[in-house]
Amino acid sequence: MKVTDATGPDVSDDDPQSLRQALRQLPTPEPRAGFVERALARAAAQSREEQAVSSAARLRNFAMRWETWAGAALGGAFAAALTFVLLRTVDLPAVSPQPQLALTLNEARNVDVLIDSERALKGATIRVVASGSIALDGFDDESHVDWQADLERGSNLLSLPVVARAAGKGRLVAVIEHEGRTQRVAVELTVLDPKVSQS
């Protein structure tokens, strides 16, 4: 069946190709005023809403993943360990150098050791170790002695009794421990045999 329209040619209901061709020949109506602006504004608003929703969803998804929390925990642990190591090495020098002293064989003398402390140390553990050709006077067969004492902020002088037992090199080390921190002060000693030096 053919239909005649005032705007175009006869079109058969059974022939889709002739229907398409007839539709192509029809004039296109002009859009209403402001149509383009409204369409663009609506598309832009819809895009912003989708981005806001997707950003929030991405952030929520990121916060809910176990990898995020594992990474944060690992990073925090690494930062804490690095801070601990850096602060520990800055606070206390490993060994404070002291001048070298000379003793004669069998001489007993008090050797002064200067301990510098950045703060007061209540109940610090002090360990004195004598090695080589010297020994701690009054502590016959003991190579080290421990005790606890309070050290004041600034310079603290320890007067340590030593005796020269044999000719050669000796070393006196004072180790101060307080709240997990350690400071060492070493004094190098040389024991001279007067019989050898007279010959």
Side-chain angles (χ1 to χ4, degrees):
M1 169 179 176
K2 290 196 174 188
V3 177
T4 305
D5 191 357
T7 58
D10 295 335
V11 177
S12 169
D13 285 340
D14 299 333
D15 187 15
Q17 192 167 0
S18 61
L19 180 61
R20 268 191 240 119
Q21 192 174 15
L23 286 174
R24 283 192 194 117
Q25 292 174 356
L26 288 175
T28 306
E30 289 295 321
R32 293 182 187 158
F35 170 76
V36 173
E37 290 80 16
R38 284 192 310 273
L40 290 175
R42 184 178 294 160
Q46 192 175 21
S47 175
R48 279 192 299 269
E49 287 175 11
E50 287 175 3
Q51 285 178 350
V53 169
S54 66
S55 294
R58 278 185 290 190
L59 182 60
R60 190 176 328 108
N61 186 26
F62 178 74
M64 298 308 252
R65 297 181 66 173
W66 71 268
E67 294 96 343
T68 302
W69 296 106
L74 187 62
F78 179 75
L82 183 63
T83 301
F84 177 74
V85 167
L86 290 177
L87 289 178
R88 186 174 172 104
T89 56
V90 169
D91 282 349
L92 300 170
V95 175
S96 299
Q98 294 283 331
Q100 194 170 24
L101 298 175
L103 300 171
T104 56
L105 188 60
N106 298 320
E107 177 185 0
R109 181 195 304 179
N110 284 341
V111 175
D112 293 333
V113 177
L114 184 65
I115 308 292
D116 286 322
S117 179
E118 294 178 353
R119 57 190 171 92
L121 304 177
K122 299 290 182 198
T125 300
I126 301 172
R127 176 177 295 121
V128 177
V129 180
S131 62
S133 61
I134 62 166
L136 293 170
D137 195 17
F139 300 91
D140 290 330
D141 293 328
E142 296 186 41
S143 62
H144 71 277
V145 177
D146 296 355
W147 74 93
Q148 287 193 332
D150 296 337
L151 297 178
E152 296 188 14
R153 182 176 186 256
S155 297
N156 295 274
L157 188 65
L158 295 177
S159 189
L160 304 172
V162 297
V163 61
R165 297 279 188 209
K169 299 280 184 185
R171 187 171 197 198
L172 186 64
V173 179
V175 181
I176 295 84
E177 296 176 346
H178 186 262
E179 294 179 354
R181 296 181 180 181
T182 303
Q183 180 178 2
R184 289 179 178 82
V185 180
V187 178
E188 300 293 332
L189 296 131
T190 303
V191 177
L192 305 172
D193 187 351
K195 296 176 189 171
V196 173
S197 58
Q198 289 177 355
S199 330

